[in-house]
Amino acid sequence: MKQLFWLQFFQGAGISFFFTAEFARFLEKFPVHELPWVMVLSAFLLWITGFAYTILEHHIPFKKFNEGIILFMAGTMLLLRIGSTVITDNWLYYVSLAWFYVLYLLNNLEFWGIASRLFNIRQSKRLFGVISSGDIPAKFIGYTMALLFVPYTGTLNLLFLGVISMLSSMYMN
C-alpha cells in the first residue's frame, strides 16, 4: 500500500511540473481565448490514447505494460522538452499543453489498474481513499516546488524535473 502512495506521489509531482511549465509557456505565447483549442485537441488525443491503451493492455503482460506506461510518460515529457528547443512552430505549444491531459489520463489508468488488481471489492472500499491520498500532497508539493525552482531552472527546464520524478515512480511499480 505504501508503494502505491509513492507511485501516485512521484507521478503526480512529475505531472504538476509538466503542467506548470507548459501552461506558463502557452499563456506567454498566446491569449487566454486560445485555450479552448487546446481542449479540443486534448479530447482528440485522449480518445486516441484511450483506444490504444485498451488494445495494448490485453496484449502486454501487466507489469511490463505498467513499466512501459511510465517510460512512455517520461519519454514524451523529455521529447517535448527537447522538441521545444528545436521546433519553434506554434502547433507545438498546443500539443504540449494538450499532452498534460494525456499524461493525467495515463497516470490514472495505470494507478487504478494496479489498485484494482491488488485489492478485492471489500478491501477496495476501505483502502482506495487511503492509497489515492498520495495524489493531493504530490500536486501541492509539485506545484510549490515548481514555484520555487522556476527562478533557478527556468520554466522549460521544469520538464526535466518532471521526467526525473516520473522515472522515480518506476521503483514503486
Side-chain angles (χ1 to χ4, degrees), residues 43-103:
F44 180 71
L45 290 173
L46 289 170
W47 180 79
I48 290 171
T49 303
F51 183 74
Y53 189 98
T54 301
I55 291 171
L56 293 174
E57 75 176 333
H58 296 294
H59 292 92
I60 301 172
F62 186 72
K63 185 160 177 62
K64 290 219 180 284
F65 181 69
N66 288 327
E67 289 171 354
I69 292 295
I70 294 170
L71 290 173
F72 178 76
M73 289 190 293
T76 58
M77 290 168 78
L78 185 60
L79 280 175
L80 287 169
R81 168 57 182 94
I82 293 167
S84 295
T85 58
V86 178
I87 301 168
T88 57
D89 295 340
N90 287 345
W91 64 266
L92 188 61
Y93 289 89
Y94 287 87
V95 170
S96 295
L97 185 53
W99 198 253
F100 158 75
Y101 295 98
V102 172
L103 293 174

Side-chain angles (χ1 to χ4, degrees), residues 7-173:
L7 174 83
Q8 186 78 326
F9 179 84
F10 284 119
Q11 287 187 7
I15 290 170
S16 63
F17 285 134
F18 182 85
F19 178 72
T20 302
E22 294 304 336
F23 194 67
R25 290 181 62 238
F26 186 87
L27 289 179
E28 183 178 53
K29 181 93 170 157
F30 302 103
V32 73
H33 64 78
E34 289 292 313
L35 282 173
W37 290 110
V38 172
M39 302 306 158
V40 170
L41 177 59
S42 69
F44 180 71
L45 290 173
L46 289 170
W47 180 79
I48 290 171
T49 303
F51 183 74
Y53 189 98
T54 301
I55 291 171
L56 293 174
E57 75 176 333
H58 296 294
H59 292 92
I60 301 172
F62 186 72
K63 185 160 177 62
K64 290 219 180 284
F65 181 69
N66 288 327
E67 289 171 354
I69 292 295
I70 294 170
L71 290 173
F72 178 76
M73 289 190 293
T76 58
M77 290 168 78
L78 185 60
L79 280 175
L80 287 169
R81 168 57 182 94
I82 293 167
S84 295
T85 58
V86 178
I87 301 168
T88 57
D89 295 340
N90 287 345
W91 64 266
L92 188 61
Y93 289 89
Y94 287 87
V95 170
S96 295
L97 185 53
W99 198 253
F100 158 75
Y101 295 98
V102 172
L103 293 174
Y104 200 82
L105 172 70
L106 289 173
N107 165 254
N108 281 312
L109 290 173
E110 177 206 11
F111 178 79
W112 291 112
I114 293 170
S116 68
R117 283 191 137 202
L118 291 176
F119 304 110
N120 63 34
I121 292 173
R122 174 179 259 172
Q123 293 169 323
S124 65
K125 285 180 182 181
R126 191 179 73 240
L127 296 174
F128 275 13
V130 175
I131 62 172
S132 68
S133 65
D135 190 40
I136 301 303
K139 289 191 176 45
F140 175 75
I141 291 169
Y143 290 125
T144 304
M145 287 174 54
L147 174 71
L148 298 173
F149 287 153
V150 164
Y152 304 105
T153 64
T155 305
L156 194 55
N157 288 329
L158 284 177
L159 297 180
F160 286 133
L161 295 175
V163 170
I164 291 167
S165 184
M166 194 62 66
L167 289 175
S168 297
S169 76
M170 274 290 272
Y171 302 106
M172 306 304 152
N173 187 14

